[in-house]
Amino acid sequence: MKVRSLTGGEMEQALPALARLRIEVFHAYPYLYAGSEGYELDYLHTFSQAPDALIVTAENEVGEIVGCATGSALTGHHVEFAEPLVDAGIDLSTTFYFGESVLRPTHRGHGIGHAFFDVREAHALAHGYKRACFCAVDRPADHPLRPEGYSALDPFWTARGYSRLTGAVSHFEWPETPDGPKIVHRMDYWTRSF
């Protein structure tokens, strides 16, 4: 498995693969996201224009991208995402935003998730950021679509030094079925100071 950090033109070339992966991986619990490639490409193109943006890719032995993780500055970008952080007293100019981290289930459990965090944290530190943050959907333990044996990522994030930011919550809308209505989902914030 090869992990690479992409910026600039290389990052732009990876956007279609990341769009497809987001749709594929986020379709599963807990996100239950029914996205479209057109929307994803628009979203990712906007992301790629943010200051200090990067994509970390995981490629299999034949060069196929099987996982991606993103990061960028918060300032001038992610306005809806940033507001609860400002309300919580977080300085946006010194905070690096971790976007999605998507990996096909067949490639999990081999350290790629840690590599995604390692590369993004190193990138943030190299650009002078003092902390990182990300958002995660909050699903109740008794959600009817929760798979048998599902393990939340909270212990993984905690072991990496991240903690839930008390009182900071966002609500984002996305459809859970193709052509279905957008449903409001609660998102919790996680942060780590370097």
Side-chain angles (χ1 to χ4, degrees), residues 69-186:
T70 64
S72 71
L74 271 172
T75 51
H77 189 55
H78 308 292
V79 176
E80 291 177 352
F81 177 88
E83 189 175 328
L85 292 171
V86 172
D87 292 345
I90 301 292
D91 177 14
L92 300 185
S93 68
T94 58
T95 303
F96 194 70
Y97 168 61
F98 287 177
E100 52 280 305
S101 183
V102 292
L103 183 64
R104 289 189 176 142
T106 52
H107 293 83
R108 295 175 187 165
H110 302 287
I112 297 170
H114 282 292
F116 284 167
F117 271 85
D118 290 342
V119 173
R120 291 183 295 179
E121 288 168 358
H123 183 82
L125 284 164
H127 286 82
Y129 292 93
K130 294 183 178 178
R131 77 191 56 77
C133 72
F134 63 88
C135 247
V137 68
D138 181 28
R139 297 283 192 192
D142 62 350
H143 191 281
L145 296 179
R146 182 184 176 105
E148 182 86 22
Y150 171 76
S151 294
L153 289 172
D154 299 28
F156 171 76
W157 297 328
T158 301
R160 294 273 331 174
Y162 291 81
S163 59
R164 199 180 308 259
L165 186 59
T166 305
V169 174
S170 273
H171 294 89
F172 289 95
E173 296 180 338
W174 62 79
E176 292 187 355
T177 55
D179 301 318
K182 289 186 175 180
I183 298 170
V184 176
H185 300 85
R186 175 189 162 118

Side-chain angles (χ1 to χ4, degrees), residues 6-37:
L6 309 179
T7 57
E10 280 189 315
M11 179 172 57
E12 285 288 332
Q13 291 175 1
L15 295 186
L18 178 53
R20 290 188 295 273
L21 276 170
R22 276 177 50 93
I23 293 168
E24 177 186 336
V25 175
F26 285 154
H27 179 70
Y29 186 88
Y31 282 89
L32 305 173
Y33 171 64
S36 70
E37 196 163 333

